[in-house]
Amino acid sequence: MATGRTHRPATRSRGIPEATVARLPLYLRALTALSERSVPTVSSEELAAAAGVNSAKLRKDFSYLGSYGTRGVGYDVEYLVYQISRELGLTQDWPVVIVGIGNLGAALANYGGFASRGFRVAALIDADPSMAGKPVAGIPVQHTDDLEAIIEENGVSIGVIATPAGAAQQVCDRLVAAGVTSILNFAPTVLSVPDGVDVRKVDLSIELQILAFHEQRKAGEETPGEGGADTTPPAAPPAAAVRRRGEGTEQGPDGDVPAVMPA
């Protein structure tokens, strides 16, 4: 069986833009839903609406794959599922290790969507000795002392970090040194990695803060004062409070905010 260590997706060598790569999973999710309903073909407009993009952008994205559809018929759903899955590397077996088996790590381990999308949880790793040997999602947790050996034995090239922020960089360094070249980071901190290592960060708290910004703007527009919306900025926090907030941490104003699992 092929492993993630020896086979890489062809997207970069074919010059597919990163923005297009980021949208391919959206198309695949929409197409998979159509396939499960036995829908044979779909128009670019219908697929674009299901994926949440405009149809012109979708057609441009698919042109990078060499897929142009048939006028009056649309796109063949099953072929597009195969084509995008192949482009994303999902027709292969990708062993993954999850480091940090707290509430978030355990939730990730129990996520049933990995196997159906070409990913296999090869190992669960935690620094707590009391966790060693305990099964989570049917997989016994192993200690971080064995991290390098586990990566080598399973041919792992993708690592998931679900540790507290303070431990994330050290774990990242060990993963990279052991041969991991792609990391999904759930820890609330920015990781430093060498060239050739890809990092994707998941932080729902940031997305919620952005939504809060928009909600505040909408609330201001809907509650006008005498001269329209109240645009008075909130009072700045006392300087002493600002100093206390930043003391003793390198994580910035968020501190050690726990990572949140995406929906």
Side-chain angles (χ1 to χ4, degrees):
M1 177 178 290
T3 66
R5 177 64 61 83
T6 56
H7 293 76
R8 306 290 294 176
T11 51
R12 291 186 178 179
S13 62
R14 293 179 53 171
I16 299 179
E18 286 294 332
T20 296
V21 174
R23 287 188 290 269
L24 292 182
L26 304 179
Y27 302 140
L28 182 59
R29 180 173 60 188
L31 287 162
T32 300
L34 293 171
S35 176
E36 290 172 350
R37 290 170 17 220
S38 300
V39 176
T41 58
V42 63
S43 69
S44 59
E45 289 78 11
E46 292 169 333
L47 182 54
V53 303
N54 65 63
S55 58
K57 184 173 293 183
L58 177 144
R59 288 190 293 270
K60 179 67 173 178
D61 289 341
F62 284 0
S63 71
Y64 290 111
L65 307 181
S67 185
Y68 298 93
T70 303
R71 183 178 296 276
V73 176
Y75 294 94
D76 183 289
V77 170
E78 291 298 332
Y79 178 68
L80 265 186
V81 168
Y82 165 74
Q83 194 175 23
I84 294 175
S85 296
R86 182 187 62 186
E87 204 65 45
L88 289 172
L90 304 184
T91 56
Q92 306 166 35
D93 172 56
W94 294 96
V96 175
V97 296
I98 301 175
V99 185
I101 313 302
N103 291 334
L104 175 60
L108 292 171
N110 279 283
Y111 174 56
F114 285 130
S116 63
R117 289 166 173 80
F119 302 95
R120 171 174 56 86
V121 178
L124 306 177
I125 304 173
D126 197 272
D128 185 356
S130 68
M131 290 288 294
K134 290 186 178 180
V136 175
I139 304 172
V141 176
Q142 301 180 68
H143 194 265
T144 49
D145 286 349
D146 302 320
L147 185 148
E148 287 80 6
I150 292 167
I151 291 172
E152 180 64 28
E153 291 169 4
N154 292 277
V156 174
S157 60
I158 300 177
V160 177
I161 296 178
T163 67
Q169 185 62 58
Q170 182 183 18
V171 169
C172 174
D173 292 343
R174 290 182 63 187
L175 289 172
V176 171
V180 168
T181 52
S182 292
I183 294 173
L184 181 61
N185 178 33
F186 284 88
T189 188
V190 176
L191 298 176
S192 175
V193 297
D195 291 340
V197 176
D198 294 309
V199 176
R200 300 287 296 182
K201 179 169 173 55
V202 180
D203 192 338
L204 193 56
S205 66
I206 290 176
E207 302 303 325
L208 287 170
Q209 289 168 32
I210 294 171
L211 288 175
F213 167 82
H214 290 295
E215 284 300 310
Q216 180 175 256
R217 291 288 294 271
K218 287 185 285 188
E221 292 170 358
E222 294 168 2
T223 313
E226 294 182 358
D230 182 8
T231 58
T232 304
V242 174
R243 285 196 299 271
R244 286 196 299 272
R245 186 182 301 166
E247 288 173 355
T249 177
E250 295 180 0
Q251 276 73 56
D254 291 335
D256 289 339
V257 179
V260 184
M261 184 177 177

